[in-house]
Amino acid sequence: MTNTVVAYATAHGTTQSIAQRIAEIVGGKGDDVELRALDERSGLGDLAEVDCLIIGSAIHNGQWLPAAEAAVRAFQQPHDPLVVWAFSVSSVGATSSFLVWPVARALRHVTSEPRAVTELRTQADVGSHRFFAGAIAPGDWPRTGRILFRLMGGRYGDARDWDDVDEWAGRIISSLTGPR
Ligand SMILES: Cc1cc2nc3c(=O)[nH]c(=O)nc-3n(C[C@H](O)[C@H](O)[C@H](O)COP(=O)(O)O)c2cc1C
């Protein structure tokens, strides 16, 4: 039996939905799973009894949202070993995107992991960091963002790949139940 926290920062709800799905899958084998929404004041909360931390954020301007960055800055390893997994929700996921495919493919090659994940790696053993594609609506962007989005061949809508989310969550379960 393990205790897992799925912590997330979202601007428009996509990251929350992916965090919920991960929590359902990891919790489906009977373990305790708690969802925690991050805001800039609360941080990650108490991790003393937690065995596995899964933390994710929407990507804005190439980086995690301020609430998730603040949580990473304040993170202190509560005990050893705390298993940590990280995910980012952006225009381009590992398996899907709401940008046209040549642009998505090019971005996959040049996009590095968010600085918060790099920072987290200095504090904890991060099992995996995965990019998932999210969703976008015209009203989500400021005006300049809408113009850039059109120039990049973006299509408004939902590019979430639930099979990929499920597969990644399955890997977390394997890591928790397999040999350490
Ligand atoms: C203001 C703004 C900035 C964004 N910046 C980026 C970015 O730099 N790179 C990217 O791949 N996607 C970017 N996106 C797309 C979001 O990451 C995507 O819509 C994601 O699903 C948002 O998650 P959320 O619904 O949890 O907020 C941006 C979206 C908005 C609204």
Side-chain angles (χ1 to χ4, degrees):
M1 182 88 172
T2 56
N3 290 325
T4 296
V5 163
V6 184
Y8 65 91
T10 185
H12 295 104
T14 321
T15 308
Q16 180 181 17
S17 69
I18 290 175
Q20 278 169 340
R21 177 75 157 237
I22 292 167
E24 278 164 25
I25 292 182
V26 174
K29 67 179 184 70
D31 286 350
D32 278 346
V33 180
E34 186 189 337
L35 267 176
R36 292 184 187 172
L38 294 169
D39 62 58
E40 283 184 62
R41 278 162 297 127
S42 64
L44 284 162
D46 186 6
L47 297 174
E49 303 295 323
V50 174
D51 307 295
C52 174
L53 169 67
I54 304 166
I55 178 169
S57 174
I59 294 283
H60 277 195
N61 306 318
Q63 301 299 335
W64 276 13
L65 295 177
E69 289 207 321
V72 168
R73 273 197 303 278
F75 174 81
Q76 287 182 329
Q77 186 76 255
H79 54 76
D80 193 30
L82 173 70
V83 177
V84 180
W85 293 66
F87 66 96
S88 299
V89 180
S90 71
S91 305
V92 183
T95 55
S96 63
S97 177
F98 48 70
L99 303 181
V100 289
W101 73 263
V103 176
R105 192 179 58 175
L107 286 176
R108 276 187 198 105
H109 286 300
V110 298
T111 304
S112 45
E113 69 180 17
R115 62 181 167 236
V117 177
T118 306
E119 190 177 336
L120 193 56
R121 288 186 193 282
T122 67
Q123 305 267 4
D125 186 9
V126 179
S128 157
H129 166 252
R130 187 137 183 107
F131 277 102
F132 298 116
I136 194 85
D140 292 351
W141 297 112
R143 188 166 175 274
T144 45
R146 282 200 295 275
I147 294 166
L148 193 62
F149 187 67
R150 286 251 180 259
L151 290 174
M152 290 175 80
R155 299 188 188 112
Y156 291 107
D158 186 349
R160 285 170 286 188
D161 179 351
W162 292 112
D163 288 344
D164 191 44
V165 175
D166 293 355
E167 197 271 336
W168 192 73
R171 285 172 50 201
I172 298 174
I173 294 174
S174 301
S175 83
L176 294 173
T177 53
R180 295 274 173 85

